[in-house]
Amino acid sequence: MSKDTTSEHLRAELKNLADTLEEVLSTSTDKSKSELDKLRSKARAALEESRQRLGESGERIAQTTREAAGRADEYVRENPWHGVGIGAAVGVVLGVLLTRR
């Protein structure tokens, strides 16, 4: 799953949760106890589902980050002079940016 797709899923999940909670809050004054219990159950289920999906997304992001760091480490070990050159270039760019302030 791509980063954009994950972000879209997270946004959709949070919107669904917000909509459900808004429904509970906005209609709680004109509902009977049984209707309120149904709304609370729906809100609780939406919250639990969101927590689970957000947890899974966080794990996927962490796994992707670990894999990228592993590939970068492997590349630098195989090509140490490229790594030194990249590090030096980043240092020069940061130095120029910091001295301009």
Side-chain angles (χ1 to χ4, degrees), residues 14-84:
L14 291 174
K15 184 183 180 329
N16 181 37
L17 179 59
D19 290 345
T20 302
L21 293 175
E22 184 176 340
E23 180 184 355
V24 169
L25 293 172
S26 67
T27 61
S28 62
T29 57
D30 358 327
K31 298 287 183 184
S32 69
K33 181 165 175 25
S34 65
E35 290 173 325
L36 283 174
D37 288 341
K38 287 178 187 176
L39 284 173
R40 283 189 187 113
S41 294
K42 181 180 175 182
R44 189 173 293 118
L47 179 61
E48 288 302 317
E49 188 175 326
S50 293
R51 281 184 179 159
Q52 182 180 4
R53 286 187 181 169
L54 291 173
E56 291 170 0
S57 295
E59 282 299 316
R60 278 195 302 268
I61 291 168
Q63 180 63 31
T64 302
T65 302
R66 284 191 292 270
E67 290 171 3
R71 285 192 298 268
D73 182 56
E74 184 179 314
Y75 177 81
V76 169
R77 288 178 190 272
E78 291 175 1
N79 305 290
W81 288 109
H82 290 139
V84 169

